[in-house]
Each structure stands twice: as C-alpha cells, then as structure tokens.
Amino acid sequence: GAVVSQHPSWVICKSGTSVKIECRSLDFQATTMFWYRQFPKQSLMLMATSNEGSKATYEQGVEKDKFLINHASLTLSTLTVTSAHPEDSSFYICSARDRGLRNNQPQHFGDGTRLSIL
Amino acid sequence: AQKVTQAQTEISVVEKEDVTLDCVYETRDTTYYLFWYKQPPSGELVFLIRRNSFDEQNEISGRYSWNFQKSTSSFNFTITASQVVDSAVYFCALSESTGNQFYFGTGTSLTVIP
C-alpha cells in the first residue's frame, strides 16, 4: 500500500492563484522530504529538499519565494506555488526519505499532483 | 558529477517480444544505488528495483531482469514476453549512498503493440 500520500492529485486554477500541495508520510516519520517537478515528456527534476523544522534547500534556478516549502511536522511537507502562472503548470511529485529502507526503498514517492494554470 | 543516460527515448515492440532498456550512469562515488521506476500514464512512480553498487549480481523477477555491469557503468533492464500493460515510461535513477539525492535519466517510453 501507499506509504506517501500526496494531495490533491490534480488542480486547475486561474493565473495568480496560490496553490498548496501536501505530502504526507503515512506510517513512518520523514525528517527529509523532496519535491520534484516533471514537465511533459521530461524527467523528474529535484526542486528542493525539505527538512523538518528548518528551512528548505532549493536547487539552483528554483525560486524560493515562488515555491514555498513548509515541513512543520515529521509526517507533512507542503509546497505552495504562489501567484501561479501558466508556465508553472507541471506535474509535481514529492518523496519522503525512509531511513528504514522499507520495501528496499530509500525514498517513497507520492502519486503526484497535476497542476494546470489557466 | 552524477549523471544517468537513457539513450532510447521511445521504443515500440509487438506484444510477446523481449525488450531491453538501456541505462548508463556516471558517478565518482564508490557507494551508490541504482533504481528502475515505471511511470504509467496515470503518473505515479512504481518502484521496480534497487541495486547496491557492491552487488553486481543480476536479478530476475518474473518477466523482468536486470543486468548490472560496473565495468561499463550500465544497469540495463529487460522485459521478457512483453505485454500491453508494460507500456509506460521507464526511468533509471542513481542515488548517493545516503539515498537523498536522486538523479533520474530522461526516461524511455515503451509502447507494446497488441
């Protein structure tokens, strides 16, 4: 069964809206979570690393003021796309670090969020 | 720097054919992990395998098999007797020993024609 829940699975909204995406680890504590972005027919690109109780670490070229990350608890990280524009339309996937390597995986991925900005 | 190359962008095979998806990686780390994920049209990533850099044994799981060769920095994936349900994008990935930083290849889109 799924060990990481991502919500919502898809969202369509108007340009200028802020959108929040949640990533929850369901049965383990994740001190580290990751946010990826995937454009159509492209690979997953790491946007940022989210650490519980501290500031996120952003990859080069990712605007921290645009993509706000909050990791306030050991089971929840949120990504807020602020003032979203059509170019922010993408597939966003989170993952949670699992030091227990359950199912032989160091990271468990959410099912992704399809974001469409009109 | 770490890098994963999947040279095959798209592959089409007829059902029941065998198909091999290539993956070549670059890393200076001596300890690392290699992965294969399947991404069906619905978008979720389905974990297929994790391989430790110290374990070069090939692995077979049903119709799936993996060939890991450190000498050529390759971690190829073969599907035997392909089925329509195998149609998806397959990603090869490399991570450092902590399992934190993942480097994904560009993916191979496999279409199995009935």
Side-chain angles (χ1 to χ4, degrees):
Chain A
V3 295
V4 172
S5 173
Q6 189 171 339
H7 178 80
S9 55
W10 60 274
V11 58
I12 302 173
C13 59
K14 294 181 178 179
S15 184
T17 307
S18 291
V19 179
K20 179 185 283 188
I21 303 170
E22 294 186 348
C23 181
R24 295 180 183 273
S25 56
L26 298 181
D27 59 356
F28 67 101
Q29 293 181 335
T31 55
T32 305
M33 292 186 174
F34 306 89
W35 288 96
Y36 296 83
R37 179 168 55 185
Q38 184 182 26
F39 291 111
K41 297 192 176 184
Q42 294 189 24
S43 188
L44 283 78
M45 298 302 296
L46 180 66
M47 298 176 65
T49 301
S50 168
N51 298 298
E52 186 268 336
S54 64
K55 291 182 178 181
T57 302
Y58 290 82
E59 295 301 301
Q60 192 172 7
V62 178
E63 302 173 55
K64 61 181 67 176
D65 294 332
K66 175 76 170 177
F67 300 99
L68 301 179
I69 291 173
N70 184 284
H71 193 158
S73 79
L74 288 171
T75 59
L76 174 64
S77 175
T78 61
L79 167 67
T80 300
V81 184
T82 61
S83 187
H85 292 285
E87 59 267 28
D88 298 322
S89 298
S90 187
F91 190 58
Y92 293 85
I93 304 177
C94 72
S95 70
R97 178 82 170 90
D98 182 3
R99 297 187 185 278
L101 284 176
R102 70 198 68 208
N103 298 326
N104 208 25
Q105 301 176 59
Q107 288 188 27
H108 299 280
F109 289 86
D111 286 348
T113 298
R114 293 195 186 278
L115 175 62
S116 296
I117 309 298
L118 304 178
Chain B
Q2 280 84 347
K3 183 180 178 182
V4 177
T5 301
Q6 293 179 256
Q8 304 151 308
T9 305
E10 296 181 356
I11 299 177
S12 292
V13 297
V14 177
E15 199 171 22
K16 297 185 182 179
E17 287 184 347
D18 299 347
V19 59
T20 295
L21 309 182
D22 298 332
C23 174
V24 175
Y25 63 92
E26 297 176 29
T27 181
R28 292 181 180 176
D29 294 342
T30 54
T31 303
Y32 52 88
Y33 296 133
L34 294 166
F35 304 82
W36 275 97
Y37 287 90
K38 174 182 180 180
Q39 187 177 43
S42 49
E44 75 275 17
L45 284 177
V46 179
F47 169 78
L48 297 178
I49 190 171
R50 176 183 78 114
R51 174 61 73 215
N52 183 303
S53 56
F54 292 112
D55 182 3
E56 285 193 72
Q57 280 194 340
N58 293 330
E59 182 158 339
I60 299 174
S61 177
R63 296 185 297 107
Y64 296 168
S65 62
W66 291 270
N67 182 280
F68 176 28
Q69 300 217 352
K70 288 182 76 171
S71 60
T72 56
S73 297
S74 66
F75 186 43
N76 296 337
F77 172 33
T78 298
I79 301 175
T80 304
S82 59
Q83 300 176 2
V84 173
V85 293
D86 296 328
S87 296
V89 179
Y90 290 86
F91 288 98
C92 179
L94 166 75
S95 82
E96 56 187 32
S97 58
T98 63
N100 281 343
Q101 184 75 29
F102 266 56
Y103 300 89
F104 285 88
T106 49
T108 297
S109 177
L110 173 66
T111 300
V112 180
I113 304 166

